[in-house]
Structures are given as C-alpha cells and as structure tokens.
Amino acid sequence: MNRPAPVEITYKNMRFLITHNPTNATLNKFIEDWPFDDGAPPSNQIVDDWLNLLKLKFREEPGCCVAVHCVAGLGRAPVLVALALIECGMKYEDAVQFIRHKQLFYLEKYRPKMRLRFKDSNSHRNNCCIQ
C-alpha cells in the first residue's frame, strides 16, 4: 500500500509529525494510543489527554517533535494537530488550511500507478465492499 509520506507541521514552539500507522519497528516510539472512529470527533477525554500531553512534552522538552498517527495520516491525526493550533490562537479555518497545504503538496507530487483501473467496470456494479 502506498501511504502518504509523514508531514511535519511547525508552529511557534511546537513541532508535530503527522504519519500513518506505526509499524512493529516504530511502535516503541509511540507512547500513548487514543483511538476514535474515523470521521468522528475525538471524545472530550481524548482532547483533554492530548492537550495535557502536549503541554507536558513541550514544556519538558522544548523543540521536541510529537508524532501523531491514524490509519493514513489524513483524517484523525490532523484533527488533533489542528486542535493544538487552535489552542495556540489560530482560527480553525486557518489551522485546517495550514495542515492541508502540507498534505496537498504531497498529493500534487503523487504520480498514479494505475493500480485501481479495471478492464470491465460493469461486471462489479452490484458488488459492495464495506470496510
């Protein structure tokens, strides 16, 4: 699976690395795991825990980079980073634009390999796949 490259977001004294799922080799670098459903907002408890973690990490280790992940690095992880930017005074629209600009740069450079082209698209018309 071709996954997006990690995206580093730097704002004021904060650095974030938005990435896809950790691998077995990198799992030990991740210290917390707060799952929430794709497309859904994080719970209040997750938001509180996330912001408390950031406050602690950026105070204890100025200049450190906090990695945050979701399956593809395009939905839930950017939402958490956007919350941090908003907490620093950025408007929510600007936070989304700031993060999306970096992600759109990746997509602009992406070159398709035509791996999802099918010869006869009509033969699969009645089939459905739920993931």
Side-chain angles (χ1 to χ4, degrees):
M1 178 176 176
N2 188 22
R3 296 178 182 223
V7 174
E8 185 173 338
I9 303 292
T10 302
Y11 183 72
K12 294 188 177 180
N13 62 341
M14 300 183 305
R15 290 176 51 225
F16 299 96
L17 184 67
I18 298 174
T19 186
H20 53 75
N21 273 346
T23 64
N24 287 338
T26 62
L27 188 59
N28 64 339
K29 304 274 189 211
F30 291 82
I31 59 172
E32 299 289 343
D33 190 9
W34 300 311
F36 60 97
D37 291 337
D38 194 19
S43 68
N44 289 338
Q45 186 64 54
I46 289 174
V47 172
D48 290 344
D49 290 345
W50 168 246
L51 296 174
N52 287 333
L53 172 74
L54 296 180
K55 191 173 184 179
L56 180 70
K57 291 305 287 181
F58 292 134
R59 184 178 292 147
E60 287 180 353
E61 300 177 47
C64 74
C65 185
V66 175
V68 58
H69 74 86
C70 56
V71 173
L74 295 170
R76 291 167 282 188
V79 164
L80 291 176
V81 173
L83 288 173
L85 298 177
I86 293 166
E87 286 291 330
C88 287
M90 192 180 277
K91 293 180 182 177
Y92 79 90
E93 302 96 333
D94 295 336
V96 170
Q97 177 79 16
F98 191 73
I99 294 167
R100 287 291 181 229
H101 175 75
K102 298 269 188 166
Q103 292 178 323
L104 289 173
F105 181 74
Y106 165 79
L107 293 173
E108 179 183 324
K109 302 293 183 201
Y110 180 80
R111 296 295 170 245
K113 295 167 183 65
M114 305 311 213
R115 292 177 285 195
L116 295 177
R117 293 246 172 146
F118 302 102
K119 290 182 181 177
D120 182 9
S121 61
N122 292 329
S123 66
H124 301 291
R125 187 170 279 190
N126 293 325
N127 294 339
C128 181
C129 177
I130 300 173
Q131 296 191 357

